[in-house]
Amino acid sequence: DVAKDVDESLIEKFLSEVDNIQIQENLRELTKVPHMATTAGDEQTVQFMLKRWQDPESGLDQAWREEYKVYLSFPDPNNPNKVTVVNPSNTVLYTVREKEKTYTSDQNDPEVVQPYAAYSPAGHAKGKLVYANQGKPSDYQELNKTMDLRGTIAITRYGGAGRGAKHPSVFTGVLVYTDPLDINDGLMSDINETYPHSWYMPPSGVERGSFNSQFGDLLTPYLAAKEETYRIAPEDITGIPPIPIQPIGFEDAYRLICELGGEAAPAAWQGAFNCTYNFGSPGFKHTSVFNNSDVKLDIYNKDDVKNSSNVMGIIRGSVEPDRYVIYGNHRDSWVHGAIDPSSGTSVMLELSRVLGMMVKQGKWRPRRSIIFGSWGAEEFGLIGSAEYTEQYFTVLSERTVAYINVDIAVFGKKLYYLSRVDAPGLDSTSVYDNWIRYSNKTSPAHGVIPTMGYLSGAGSDYAAFVHYLGITSMDMSYTYDRSKTNARIYPAYHTAYDTFDYASRFIDPGFLSHQAVAKTAGNILIRLADSLVLPLNCSDYAESLEDYLNTAVNLYQTKLQANSISMEPLKHAVGSFRRAATHLDEVIRSSDLANETPLKVRRINDQLMLLDRAFLDPLAFPDKYAYRHVIWASSSAGKPTFPGLADAYVKAESSNQPKDWGKVHYHLSVLSQAIEGAANTLFDVI
Amino acid sequence: DVAKDVDESLIEKFLSEVDNIQIQENLRELTKVPHMATTAGDEQTVQFMLKRWQDPESGLDQAWREEYKVYLSFPDPNNPNKVTVVNPSNTVLYTVREKEKTYTSDQNDPEVVQPYAAYSPAGHAKGKLVYANQGKPSDYQELNKTMDLRGTIAITRYGGAGRGAKHPSVFTGVLVYTDPLDINDGLMSDINETYPHSWYMPPSGVERGSFNSQFGDLLTPYLAAKEETYRIAPEDITGIPPIPIQPIGFEDAYRLICELGGEAAPAAWQGAFNCTYNFGSPGFKHTSVFNNSDVKLDIYNKDDVKNSSNVMGIIRGSVEPDRYVIYGNHRDSWVHGAIDPSSGTSVMLELSRVLGMMVKQGKWRPRRSIIFGSWGAEEFGLIGSAEYTEQYFTVLSERTVAYINVDIAVFGKKLYYLSRVDAPGLDSTSVYDNWIRYSNKTSPAHGVIPTMGYLSGAGSDYAAFVHYLGITSMDMSYTYDRSKTNARIYPAYHTAYDTFDYASRFIDPGFLSHQAVAKTAGNILIRLADSLVLPLNCSDYAESLEDYLNTAVNLYQTKLQANSISMEPLKHAVGSFRRAATHLDEVIRSSDLANETPLKVRRINDQLMLLDRAFLDPLAFPDKYAYRHVIWASSSAGKPTFPGLADAYVKAESSNQPKDWGKVHYHLSVLSQAIEGAANTLFDVI
Ligand SMILES: [Ca+2]
Ligand SMILES: [Ca+2]
Ligand SMILES: [Zn+2]
Ligand SMILES: [Zn+2]
Ligand SMILES: [Zn+2]
Ligand SMILES: [Zn+2]
């Protein structure tokens, strides 16, 4: 019993039970109505999850909801946001569309929220329009060379920078749109080119989104947002826009951009419209009907503190109930959210159904406990999952083996993960083979292997688990062939077109890709929960650290030496880590673990489980909320190396101030100490 | 084997082997020469510890040294600090003694360091003298009412406030001395009253000390002070005196204070000198020979970065080598340090000898690993132990069951700890009975029990373990009957009279009290290392939290309610904790643990081991270096309740600013979340 290991026949059984039609029906149910966080539609999904997880035949051991009072931002349904072009005598010459165009009954649902920028302040902004490319700092610098930007309104296209970065206060207001070049491979016509004829975004489609640049409830940093919890004043929130912002469709952007005056923007700034993208004079061309007119934003967004629910479910472990494998996805969408997030939720429900059934039938109970989380209010800033990690910080830190996130399960047509599951549409090709065919790299230890990205950002609910708790995490999805389209994401993302109709006709007809994701994710989940020795490889971690080190030495060593800063401690630390990892591998390899004392196996598993925790430093990134993992934190330097070092180096190189070089040295010491500390956990325990 | 529990006969054997004469001889050896941190004498003690811990017959499994490069402060032997009284024409009227008077050959050792205030800056300060009582903020406020303090020199007596708090920059310099009232029960004469005739401090005795108010190496906060570690600039150090300070003996203080002019200081400020303690006019009386004269400090202290060593030794655990019980004491003294710290080191060496012998003879190997630490540079600010916790933060946090600190083993004549050991000099009385007789309290759960203090300060090397790592810790010593003397500490503390002669004649002739400490500490150490279930009681923790809560409600609730701040979440949290503790106790009581699976026992032990860790919050005390434990952190409010709450309340009550009340609310949320989080760890694991 204590030596219980993975049962391969049980995995076969699981794989054979995962059903594509069940996933399709889950999705149909989940997408009946829009279910933006805290709305009535959201509550319907809460009830649906509870019903499924409490099902006597295929539910979990226990399921319940947990509520948080969180700070959200909504447009006013009685007073819609408006974007207009007004001439000097205040005549409205042009009005931007307030709602996306209807192609199916879905768009007609009164609960479809008007496109808006969550956390944009309410306000009225008027000014001459300028085109600011992707709204990156470098774009603003470029634009600023050509004119005085004060008092202008910027129009920027999605991509390049995150939403949170698109709003410097030099402007009076910002419009943001999706250029057909970036999402539609240039196509623009809804007569025959865009949805409902294809997966491409219709001209009126608008990507909604949160313009908050940190994660978790904004009023309760580091504290779970309960009724009586201390809240900062809304005016003390950092990382939300100081100026009004509104997203618009490309049909309106086309009108505005093609009328802009001034010089032509650089080639890299040009999009798919059949006109030259000018900077703006600022404002429109003299020859335009909009000549001398302003763009005006009337934004009526309102903040609101509302109850948001996570739905939680557990399967109790038999041998090590005090070890948790967590599997989660958010439940809230912007509109119907068929792909984002309901594709992931449909997959989660199918794999929890199969596992629940095996448990209820007495055929299986995992070695370790499994926790399922259906997070609320992710779209506003990963709020439900972040509050959960704040509330349960201690137990989760002590006991969690791994976190698996499957948000958008299927972006398109090619899956990224592991073997044993056949890749749909490629008869004899396993998911693993297909993955390696489309995206691979060469590892010194393993040869050619699939590429895996690092979870260094905050793109979905894994963020708090990785960055705040230091829990080993993965995020997976099936995606499309990037050699066949330049779409930066599936085109209906965050629009009113992300519906069951769209998903079932254009993303995954037959739901075989969803099924492949469910099988793959479930396979991994079972192995994490059932393996006698955790399937986590510390030598692969060493390989990543060596990669990072090599990059850092190549990029930084010369200048660091010139500033009397030695990289030797970092090299030593990575060397220690490699030796320690090799040693632990050898201990695992040479032990007959099934016949070892359970405490020896536990010792090794604790070394593996806690490895990522060793890289946490709550003081390493004072300016980055909840980022504590010194290896995987986000970085703006854009180099594949240690994030804090890279960012500190960029700053020091640019200022050349001793205090900035001091910060580079400080970060090197933080890193070296963390890596040596991690290595210490892998060597003999004493 | 995995069900191995404490063997009572082995404890009997241990107790019977602990030898008072061995302790005496350890002390004799350790105190042959002064062994201030990083001096040649310190290196001798390093070699001695290593020799003993590497002894083939009674040593440990392994012993080694670990070095840190740390920032220290010393007087200049070639340019001794001077304190003089000079008249307006710069004639020196009086010179304070530079060295303590010689009574035995010990004081003649050229390595006796001149009395000084470590981390006082070098500098020349001259001004009129004022008497500032104990140098507490309230004392300065009182004094400030009577005169303009700018440019004056303060003389203050030890006691009341820590050394780190005695130096507001309104003064030009500070003298500090020990009043005979506070240490000698008023006695002053070395003809027949003070050492070498008794344990009392001779007139020239001076308490040395560090005037640094934080712990750990000052240049490397949160980073182990290795060769290449990033160091802050010395001018960026906070918490060290901005002005010159010098400690002096009471014979000199007597001359200075009794000549002071001005009004008489309040009764509470009067000491044992046979004169009225006046405030100073500022300066001396008109009738004094010092009339119109200044006091002048010429301080030549020098900072130095030097190698300081910890000596480490281990006994590997047999069943749970990855669980550590740590036992430590500092090794460095100010001079010969017979009592501080060598009494503790002598005890540690004796108990490690007996345990080592049992291990070498194959009679015993503990269930868990034991780590011994002989810390360096404690006197300068707990540096060796703090650097150790910084370097090994992760492994120690993950694996340490408890830390036991025995610094000054014997202050005088009555022992504080546990049963089974006879209290010396009280034939039929166990240490436990003796303890309870002299100091007891009534516990709702246990009735009359011995009083135990909380480790809420940073008085010795437990500080980093408790406050930074959240490791359950104890600090123990045998002390004197406070109804028989008002001495604030043993009178030779930090002077050149803390010698083997002093210890063996006046503190513990025959070394039976040392023996009792060794037996008691060893008994506890063995039980922590060998018990199947850790001897830590979470219901007692609940009792402490309830005490704290009751005090907080009584003191704060009315005003908090008036400010719309609810204490309900805190009450709820303490209630949850109590229920969880009762539940875990019941699980332990009702399980037949010797026949349970080892993983179930480990689960319970992990709940007990990690309990204190649940109270860590690295952001709770941004102004208190390395304080993270929200229950046991230090507080200046002086109330027996939650420290952060108490301090925030004092501030809010005094300012009555909304932002300060907000901080009270914030701290309440921090506390409630931590206590609920701790309770969560004690309930069923899932
Ligand atoms: Ca929060
Ligand atoms: Ca340090
Ligand atoms: Zn999503
Ligand atoms: Zn989304
Ligand atoms: Zn001491
Ligand atoms: Zn001391």
Side-chain angles (χ1 to χ4, degrees):
Chain A
D1 186 39
V2 292
K4 183 181 189 302
D5 204 343
V6 172
D7 175 350
E8 294 294 339
S9 71
L10 187 129
I11 291 192
E12 293 302 333
K13 168 138 177 70
F14 168 82
L15 295 176
S16 71
E17 294 275 350
V18 170
D19 183 37
N20 53 322
I21 302 307
Q22 292 276 353
I23 297 174
Q24 174 186 298
E25 296 312 308
N26 291 341
L27 189 69
R28 196 190 303 275
E29 182 68 31
L30 284 165
T31 55
K32 276 186 172 156
V33 293
H35 49 285
M36 183 167 62
T38 75
T39 62
D42 185 25
E43 179 61 24
Q44 276 186 43
T45 61
V46 168
Q47 296 304 333
F48 179 59
M49 299 300 297
L50 282 173
K51 182 169 143 254
R52 290 289 302 272
W53 283 352
Q54 291 171 347
D55 186 279
E57 258 131 56
S58 63
L60 308 175
D61 288 333
Q62 218 178 312
W64 66 96
R65 72 193 292 160
E66 302 218 24
E67 282 197 344
Y68 300 97
K69 274 186 68 174
V70 304
Y71 181 78
L72 303 179
S73 160
F74 300 100
D76 182 349
N78 304 316
N79 214 0
N81 295 340
K82 280 195 189 326
V83 178
T84 49
V85 177
V86 295
N87 71 12
S89 48
N90 268 326
T91 308
V92 173
L93 304 183
Y94 184 79
T95 300
V96 162
R97 180 184 263 287
E98 283 170 25
K99 292 183 136 186
E100 291 150 302
K101 191 168 160 188
T102 294
Y103 299 106
T104 75
S105 60
D106 284 324
Q107 288 85 48
N108 262 340
D109 192 307
E111 292 301 313
V112 173
V113 73
Q114 186 199 3
Y116 75 112
Y119 302 108
S120 159
H124 305 280
K126 203 169 95 169
K128 298 282 181 278
L129 191 67
V130 297
Y131 173 59
N133 194 29
Q134 296 178 313
K136 302 187 298 290
S138 58
D139 295 331
Y140 294 128
Q141 277 160 30
E142 181 76 19
L143 192 59
N144 201 33
K145 283 182 203 156
T146 74
M147 70 188 91
D148 182 352
L149 295 174
R150 284 171 299 176
T152 63
I153 305 254
I155 182 164
T156 66
R157 58 188 172 117
Y158 274 120
R163 283 180 213 104
K166 289 182 184 288
H167 44 66
S169 59
V170 60
F171 299 107
T172 298
V174 172
L175 297 176
V176 56
Y177 80 104
T178 305
D179 198 281
L181 181 71
D182 300 318
I183 203 93
N184 275 5
D185 296 314
L187 303 180
M188 291 180 59
S189 161
D190 70 349
I191 308 298
N192 51 9
E193 291 175 336
T194 67
Y195 181 78
H197 309 289
S198 76
W199 82 328
Y200 289 122
M201 180 192 260
S204 69
V206 184
E207 179 183 322
R208 293 155 186 78
S210 170
F211 283 69
N212 153 18
S213 58
Q214 79 188 33
F215 58 86
D217 173 50
L218 289 165
L219 297 184
T220 58
Y222 304 112
L223 294 168
K226 296 291 182 182
E227 186 72 30
E228 298 281 1
T229 301
Y230 171 71
R231 286 172 165 77
I232 64 171
E235 58 269 26
D236 293 337
I237 293 173
T238 52
I240 60 172
I243 51 167
I245 302 186
Q246 179 70 15
I248 64 174
F250 66 73
E251 77 178 8
D252 289 314
Y254 175 66
R255 270 311 299 278
L256 299 175
I257 286 175
C258 289
E259 304 285 338
L260 279 176
E263 284 172 47
W269 292 31
Q270 301 297 319
F273 299 148
N274 59 357
C275 67
T276 299
Y277 291 49
N278 296 327
F279 287 133
S281 27
F284 299 104
K285 296 177 198 173
H286 296 302
T287 56
S288 163
V289 290
F290 299 159
N291 175 29
N292 224 5
S293 296
D294 285 332
V295 167
K296 183 156 173 268
L297 277 66
D298 297 291
I299 307 299
Y300 302 98
N301 293 344
K302 291 202 279 200
D303 304 334
D304 206 353
V305 173
K306 302 196 74 172
N307 283 319
S308 171
S309 291
N310 293 336
V311 181
M312 306 302 303
I314 54 169
I315 300 176
R316 219 164 270 117
S318 56
V319 181
E320 301 184 81
D322 56 339
R323 289 296 176 264
Y324 309 153
V325 182
I326 308 181
Y327 184 110
N329 179 32
H330 66 101
R331 198 185 54 256
D332 67 304
S333 55
W334 282 115
V335 192
H336 296 80
I339 297 302
D340 180 12
S342 307
S343 60
T345 308
S346 301
V347 161
M348 175 161 71
L349 278 171
E350 175 56 3
L351 70 84
S352 65
R353 179 190 71 83
V354 176
L355 297 179
M357 218 170 53
M358 298 196 301
V359 168
K360 297 284 184 193
Q361 292 172 357
K363 290 182 182 153
W364 176 68
R365 180 161 290 285
R367 180 182 176 85
R368 305 182 178 86
S369 297
I370 296 175
I371 300 177
F372 288 98
S374 171
W375 316 120
E378 187 264 7
E379 293 293 5
F380 290 83
L382 321 182
I383 295 177
S385 56
E387 297 307 308
Y388 174 73
T389 60
E390 286 167 349
Q391 180 169 5
Y392 295 100
F393 183 87
T394 304
V395 280
L396 296 177
S397 299
E398 288 174 5
R399 299 175 188 165
T400 309
V401 156
Y403 174 69
I404 302 173
N405 194 67
V406 181
D407 179 346
I408 296 171
V410 181
F411 281 88
K413 326 243 154 146
K414 188 165 323 86
L415 180 65
Y416 281 161
Y417 221 76
L418 285 187
S419 65
R420 305 198 59 105
V421 180
D422 288 343
L426 292 152
D427 289 331
S428 67
T429 312
S430 75
V431 163
Y432 185 85
D433 294 337
N434 196 30
W435 182 7
I436 213 168
R437 178 188 306 166
Y438 283 89
S439 173
N440 60 63
K441 65 164 198 166
T442 302
S443 144
H446 305 292
V448 177
I449 53 167
T451 320
M452 240 189 292
Y454 296 142
L455 297 178
S456 53
S460 187
D461 291 301
Y462 56 78
F465 291 93
V466 177
H467 299 299
Y468 187 47
L469 298 186
I471 287 171
T472 306
S473 298
M474 61 173 292
D475 181 62
M476 59 175 283
S477 59
Y478 201 97
T479 193
Y480 46 87
D481 186 343
R482 288 186 184 272
S483 73
K484 303 216 170 93
T485 172
N486 287 316
R488 30 178 285 276
I489 193 165
Y490 72 98
Y493 174 71
H494 287 193
T495 72
Y497 308 110
D498 186 356
T499 59
F500 182 79
D501 176 67
Y502 180 87
S504 60
R505 292 203 296 130
F506 300 114
I507 297 289
D508 190 19
F511 287 83
L512 295 172
S513 295
H514 282 76
Q515 184 185 34
V517 173
K519 287 182 179 183
T520 307
N523 190 343
I524 296 166
L525 174 61
I526 296 171
R527 287 174 192 282
L528 283 164
D530 272 355
S531 296
L532 181 61
V533 175
L534 289 172
L536 301 171
N537 184 322
C538 55
S539 289
D540 289 351
Y541 218 121
E543 196 172 308
S544 296
L545 295 180
E546 285 160 353
D547 264 2
Y548 269 21
L549 176 65
N550 290 338
T551 304
V553 169
N554 288 338
L555 292 173
Y556 308 141
Q557 185 164 257
T558 309
K559 266 209 181 145
L560 289 180
Q561 275 169 344
N563 284 279
S564 307
I565 300 168
S566 168
M567 294 188 82
E568 293 310 313
L570 183 60
K571 292 179 195 171
H572 186 275
V574 173
S576 297
F577 191 95
R578 167 58 80 181
R579 282 193 310 283
T582 303
H583 173 78
L584 182 59
D585 277 354
E586 174 60 22
V587 167
I588 295 172
R589 211 189 49 68
S590 66
S591 307
D592 175 15
L593 292 167
N595 295 309
E596 262 299 347
T597 139
L599 290 177
K600 173 151 183 200
V601 182
R602 169 60 76 97
R603 188 192 317 162
I604 291 167
N605 282 335
D606 279 359
Q607 290 177 292
L608 294 168
M609 171 179 84
L610 296 173
L611 178 55
D612 260 307
R613 245 72 101 227
F615 294 110
L616 294 182
D617 182 337
L619 308 174
F621 306 104
D623 302 329
K624 286 187 187 178
Y625 178 75
Y627 280 94
R628 297 182 166 190
H629 197 301
V630 301
I631 310 297
W632 306 129
S634 69
S635 161
S636 46
K639 305 288 184 194
T641 188
F642 307 105
L645 178 62
D647 285 353
Y649 184 91
V650 166
K651 189 159 181 213
E653 196 183 29
S654 123
S655 81
N656 211 18
Q657 293 295 307
K659 82 167 181 356
D660 288 330
W661 287 112
K663 284 188 181 162
V664 176
H665 189 175
Y666 165 73
H667 209 89
L668 267 171
S669 292
V670 163
L671 266 178
S672 307
Q673 181 162 302
I675 297 170
E676 294 278 7
N680 281 333
T681 70
L682 301 182
F683 283 121
D684 281 333
V685 292
I686 194 148
Chain B
D1 186 37
V2 292
K4 183 180 188 303
D5 204 343
V6 172
D7 175 351
E8 294 293 339
S9 71
L10 186 130
I11 291 193
E12 292 302 334
K13 168 137 176 70
F14 168 81
L15 294 176
S16 71
E17 293 277 348
V18 169
D19 183 39
N20 55 322
I21 301 307
Q22 291 276 353
I23 297 175
Q24 174 185 298
E25 295 313 308
N26 290 342
L27 189 68
R28 197 190 302 275
E29 183 67 30
L30 284 165
T31 56
K32 277 186 174 159
V33 293
H35 49 285
M36 182 165 64
T38 74
T39 62
D42 185 23
E43 179 60 24
Q44 277 186 42
T45 61
V46 168
Q47 296 303 332
F48 178 59
M49 299 300 296
L50 282 172
K51 184 170 142 253
R52 290 290 301 273
W53 283 351
Q54 291 171 345
D55 186 280
E57 257 131 56
S58 63
L60 308 174
D61 288 333
Q62 218 178 313
W64 66 95
R65 72 192 293 160
E66 302 218 24
E67 283 198 343
Y68 300 96
K69 273 185 67 173
V70 303
Y71 181 79
L72 304 179
S73 159
F74 300 101
D76 182 349
N78 302 316
N79 214 359
N81 295 339
K82 281 197 190 326
V83 177
T84 49
V85 178
V86 294
N87 72 11
S89 49
N90 268 325
T91 308
V92 173
L93 302 183
Y94 183 79
T95 301
V96 162
R97 182 184 261 287
E98 283 170 25
K99 293 183 138 186
E100 291 151 301
K101 191 168 160 187
T102 294
Y103 299 105
T104 75
S105 60
D106 284 324
Q107 290 84 47
N108 261 340
D109 192 308
E111 293 299 313
V112 172
V113 71
Q114 187 199 2
Y116 75 111
Y119 301 109
S120 159
H124 305 280
K126 204 168 96 170
K128 298 282 181 277
L129 191 67
V130 297
Y131 173 59
N133 194 27
Q134 296 178 312
K136 302 186 298 289
S138 58
D139 295 331
Y140 294 128
Q141 277 160 29
E142 180 76 20
L143 192 59
N144 201 33
K145 285 183 202 153
T146 73
M147 71 188 92
D148 182 353
L149 295 175
R150 285 172 298 178
T152 63
I153 305 255
I155 183 165
T156 68
R157 58 189 171 116
Y158 274 120
R163 282 181 215 105
K166 288 180 185 288
H167 44 67
S169 60
V170 60
F171 299 107
T172 299
V174 172
L175 296 176
V176 54
Y177 80 104
T178 304
D179 198 282
L181 182 72
D182 300 317
I183 202 93
N184 274 4
D185 296 313
L187 302 182
M188 290 180 59
S189 161
D190 69 349
I191 308 298
N192 51 9
E193 291 175 335
T194 66
Y195 181 77
H197 308 289
S198 77
W199 82 327
Y200 290 122
M201 180 191 259
S204 69
V206 184
E207 178 183 323
R208 293 155 186 77
S210 170
F211 284 69
N212 153 19
S213 58
Q214 79 188 34
F215 58 86
D217 173 48
L218 289 165
L219 297 183
T220 58
Y222 304 111
L223 294 168
K226 295 293 183 181
E227 186 71 30
E228 297 282 0
T229 301
Y230 171 70
R231 287 173 163 77
I232 64 171
E235 57 270 26
D236 293 337
I237 293 174
T238 52
I240 60 171
I243 51 167
I245 302 186
Q246 178 69 16
I248 64 175
F250 66 72
E251 78 179 5
D252 289 314
Y254 175 66
R255 269 312 299 277
L256 299 175
I257 287 174
C258 290
E259 303 287 336
L260 280 174
E263 285 173 47
W269 292 31
Q270 301 297 318
F273 299 147
N274 59 355
C275 66
T276 298
Y277 292 49
N278 297 326
F279 286 132
S281 26
F284 300 103
K285 297 177 196 171
H286 295 302
T287 54
S288 163
V289 289
F290 298 157
N291 175 29
N292 224 6
S293 296
D294 286 331
V295 166
K296 184 155 173 271
L297 278 65
D298 298 290
I299 306 299
Y300 302 99
N301 294 344
K302 290 202 277 198
D303 304 334
D304 206 353
V305 174
K306 302 195 77 173
N307 283 319
S308 171
S309 292
N310 293 335
V311 180
M312 306 302 303
I314 54 169
I315 301 175
R316 220 164 269 119
S318 55
V319 180
E320 301 184 81
D322 56 338
R323 288 297 176 264
Y324 309 152
V325 182
I326 308 181
Y327 183 110
N329 180 31
H330 66 101
R331 199 185 54 255
D332 67 304
S333 56
W334 282 115
V335 192
H336 296 82
I339 297 302
D340 180 13
S342 306
S343 61
T345 308
S346 300
V347 160
M348 175 161 70
L349 279 171
E350 176 55 4
L351 70 84
S352 65
R353 179 190 71 84
V354 175
L355 297 178
M357 218 170 53
M358 298 196 300
V359 169
K360 297 284 183 192
Q361 293 172 356
K363 290 182 180 152
W364 175 69
R365 179 160 292 284
R367 181 182 175 85
R368 304 182 179 86
S369 297
I370 296 175
I371 300 178
F372 288 99
S374 171
W375 315 120
E378 188 264 6
E379 293 294 4
F380 289 83
L382 321 182
I383 295 177
S385 57
E387 297 307 308
Y388 174 73
T389 60
E390 286 167 349
Q391 179 168 7
Y392 296 100
F393 184 87
T394 305
V395 280
L396 295 177
S397 300
E398 289 173 5
R399 299 176 187 164
T400 309
V401 155
Y403 175 69
I404 302 172
N405 195 67
V406 181
D407 179 346
I408 295 170
V410 182
F411 282 88
K413 326 244 155 152
K414 188 164 325 82
L415 179 66
Y416 282 161
Y417 221 76
L418 285 187
S419 63
R420 302 198 61 104
V421 181
D422 288 341
L426 292 152
D427 287 332
S428 65
T429 312
S430 75
V431 164
Y432 185 86
D433 294 337
N434 197 31
W435 182 7
I436 212 168
R437 179 190 302 168
Y438 282 89
S439 173
N440 61 62
K441 67 163 198 167
T442 301
S443 145
H446 305 292
V448 178
I449 53 168
T451 320
M452 240 187 295
Y454 296 142
L455 296 180
S456 54
S460 187
D461 292 300
Y462 56 79
F465 291 93
V466 177
H467 299 300
Y468 187 47
L469 298 186
I471 287 171
T472 306
S473 299
M474 62 173 291
D475 181 61
M476 59 175 282
S477 60
Y478 200 98
T479 192
Y480 47 86
D481 186 344
R482 288 185 185 273
S483 73
K484 303 219 170 93
T485 172
N486 287 316
R488 32 177 283 275
I489 192 165
Y490 72 98
Y493 174 70
H494 287 193
T495 72
Y497 308 111
D498 186 355
T499 59
F500 183 80
D501 176 68
Y502 180 87
S504 59
R505 290 205 295 133
F506 300 115
I507 297 289
D508 190 20
F511 288 84
L512 294 172
S513 294
H514 282 75
Q515 184 186 34
V517 173
K519 287 182 179 184
T520 307
N523 190 342
I524 295 166
L525 174 61
I526 296 172
R527 287 174 192 281
L528 284 164
D530 272 356
S531 295
L532 181 61
V533 175
L534 288 173
L536 301 171
N537 184 322
C538 54
S539 289
D540 290 350
Y541 218 120
E543 196 173 306
S544 296
L545 295 179
E546 285 161 353
D547 264 3
Y548 268 22
L549 177 65
N550 290 337
T551 304
V553 169
N554 289 337
L555 292 173
Y556 308 141
Q557 185 164 256
T558 310
K559 267 209 179 144
L560 290 180
Q561 276 170 343
N563 285 279
S564 307
I565 300 168
S566 168
M567 294 189 81
E568 294 309 313
L570 183 60
K571 292 179 195 169
H572 185 276
V574 173
S576 298
F577 190 96
R578 167 59 80 181
R579 282 194 310 283
T582 303
H583 173 78
L584 182 59
D585 276 354
E586 174 59 22
V587 168
I588 295 172
R589 212 190 48 69
S590 65
S591 308
D592 175 15
L593 292 167
N595 296 309
E596 264 297 349
T597 138
L599 290 177
K600 174 150 183 201
V601 182
R602 168 60 77 98
R603 187 192 319 161
I604 292 167
N605 281 336
D606 278 359
Q607 290 177 294
L608 294 168
M609 172 178 84
L610 296 173
L611 178 55
D612 260 306
R613 243 72 103 228
F615 293 110
L616 294 182
D617 182 336
L619 308 175
F621 305 105
D623 302 328
K624 285 188 188 178
Y625 179 75
Y627 280 94
R628 298 182 164 190
H629 197 301
V630 300
I631 311 298
W632 306 130
S634 70
S635 160
S636 48
K639 305 288 184 194
T641 189
F642 307 105
L645 178 62
D647 285 353
Y649 184 91
V650 166
K651 189 159 180 209
E653 197 183 30
S654 123
S655 80
N656 211 18
Q657 292 296 306
K659 82 166 180 1
D660 288 329
W661 287 113
K663 284 187 182 165
V664 176
H665 189 176
Y666 165 73
H667 209 89
L668 266 172
S669 293
V670 164
L671 265 178
S672 309
Q673 181 161 301
I675 297 171
E676 295 278 7
N680 281 333
T681 70
L682 300 182
F683 283 121
D684 282 334
V685 292
I686 194 147

